């Protein structure tokens, strides 16, 4: 979700006004994803690198997360959304962690859209943490070295159990992954748009879905093989 700062600057507003406007796009995106039957949506809200931003901006963003949780969780729950947070939550303030845990517990039994919010998240961090868990399990004898494969590895990632990402949407004009879900994006279609995040809405989401619908997913096969399998 990129482009909040540029959106604000273009309107002579402070950066936090852009982040606040970005929350509206989050709401619209979650709604349209649920309407379109998306199974799993992961939002990159704050990266492990975003701690490098000025202290005031970081604290504004953290305040916005707390506020958004206070305002939105009941409605998400009513809409059958299951909310989960991924990232290094020990780096967050205890008040925010409590709100996160309460939101997860409240929505844990829901069967609709799985909404993951990545906060203090980095793709490399995720992989290293999974490696540490694997090493621990091997060291204490609950997992054999021979049992390590892509599946046992993926089971120890933050998004264990979630489907692989099919589509990555990045707003704001940059065409990079910026340490998002490195493992899970292995076969994702990549959709980049110049639209700034506060202007991203249901129509823009539908454009991304149309882009995705036009892709043939081959996973290493030939196009002919894929077409034959569809008949
Ligand atoms: C993304 O918008 C929001 C977060 C990282 C939280 P930016 O703040 O990166 O916006 P630009 O890139 O400065 O426009
Ligand atoms: Mg940016």
């Amino acid at each position: 979700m990129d482009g909040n700062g540029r959106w604000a600057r273009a309107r002579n507003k402070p950066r936090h006004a852009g982040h606040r406007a970005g929350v509206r796009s989050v709401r619209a995106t979650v709604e349209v994803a649920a309407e379109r039957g998306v199974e799993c949506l992961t939002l990159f809200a704050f990266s492990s690198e975003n701690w490098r931003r000025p202290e005031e901006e970081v604290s504004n963003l953290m305040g916005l997360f707390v506020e958004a949780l206070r305002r939105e969780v009941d409605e998400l729950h009513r809409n059958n959304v299951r909310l989960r947070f991924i990232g290094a939550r020990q780096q967050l303030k205890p008040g925010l962690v409590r709100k996160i845990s309460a939101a997860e517990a409240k929505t844990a039994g829901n069967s609709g859209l799985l909404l993951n919010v990545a906060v203090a998240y980095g793709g490399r961090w995720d992989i290293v943490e999974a490696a540490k868990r694997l090493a621990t399990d091997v060291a204490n004898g609950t997992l054999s070295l021979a049992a390590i494969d892509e599946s046992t590895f993926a089971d120890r990632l933050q998004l264990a159990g979630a489907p692989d990402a099919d589509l990555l949407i990045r707003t704001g004009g940059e065409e990079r992954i910026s340490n998002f879900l490195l493992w899970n994006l292995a076969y994702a279609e990549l959709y980049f748009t110049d639209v700034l995040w506060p202007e991203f809405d249901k129509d823009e989401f539908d454009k991304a879905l149309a882009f995705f619908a036009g892709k043939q997913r081959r996973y290493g096969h030939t196009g002919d093989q894929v077409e034959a399998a569809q008949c």
Side-chain angles (χ1 to χ4, degrees):
M1 300 185 286
D2 199 11
N4 295 352
R6 279 163 285 164
W7 181 92
R9 183 193 291 193
R11 283 158 185 76
N12 281 321
K13 290 182 177 180
R15 292 180 61 82
H16 68 81
H19 296 316
R20 193 165 280 281
V23 178
R24 289 200 296 269
S25 299
V26 168
R27 197 177 301 126
T29 302
V30 171
E31 272 173 27
V32 67
E35 280 165 26
R36 302 287 180 264
V38 171
E39 198 180 328
C40 175
L41 174 70
T42 304
L43 301 171
F44 203 6
F46 190 88
S47 74
S48 32
E49 290 75 29
N50 285 147
W51 292 117
R52 299 172 189 155
R53 292 193 175 196
E55 213 179 296
E56 194 197 339
E57 181 166 348
V58 170
S59 102
N60 265 318
L61 282 165
M62 295 298 153
L64 212 51
F65 296 147
V66 172
E67 192 184 316
L69 280 168
R70 196 170 53 229
R71 282 203 192 166
E72 309 288 342
V73 169
D74 284 346
E75 188 170 349
L76 291 170
H77 184 48
R78 273 197 298 279
N79 291 328
N80 200 21
V81 173
R82 182 152 55 108
L83 189 60
R84 277 207 330 215
F85 280 75
I86 59 171
R89 66 176 78 179
Q90 70 278 7
Q91 295 174 0
L92 306 174
K93 292 234 171 81
L96 177 55
V97 174
R98 272 198 300 277
K99 282 217 143 39
I100 286 175
S101 306
E104 287 178 330
K106 183 170 190 162
T107 62
N110 291 343
S111 56
L113 173 72
L114 171 58
L115 175 61
N116 303 298
V117 182
V119 176
Y121 177 85
R124 287 182 173 177
W125 166 85
D126 191 358
I127 290 171
V128 169
E129 288 300 303
K132 282 198 240 170
R133 288 192 195 107
L134 270 186
T136 307
D137 291 348
V138 172
N140 65 26
T142 54
L143 184 78
S144 74
L145 197 57
I148 296 180
D149 57 15
E150 292 184 13
S151 154
T152 48
F153 198 97
D155 285 346
R156 285 156 181 84
L157 288 164
Q158 295 282 297
L159 287 185
D164 266 351
D166 286 316
L167 171 65
L168 169 87
I169 301 173
R170 181 174 183 147
T171 58
E174 307 291 355
E175 302 194 352
R176 41 175 189 261
I177 309 285
S178 297
N179 200 18
F180 193 32
L181 299 163
L182 296 178
W183 177 283
N184 317 68
L185 288 170
Y187 262 99
E189 305 297 336
L190 307 179
Y191 179 79
F192 300 106
T193 170
D194 288 337
V195 171
L196 303 174
W197 178 250
E199 305 212 301
F200 192 83
D201 58 13
K202 294 190 174 194
D203 287 346
E204 294 299 334
F205 190 82
D206 280 335
K207 282 186 204 167
L209 290 187
F211 160 88
F212 178 76
K215 295 284 171 188
Q216 185 186 51
R217 324 281 318 278
R218 288 190 287 274
Y219 299 101
H221 293 101
T222 66
D224 288 346
Q225 283 176 305
V226 174
E227 273 162 36
Q230 278 161 354
C231 292

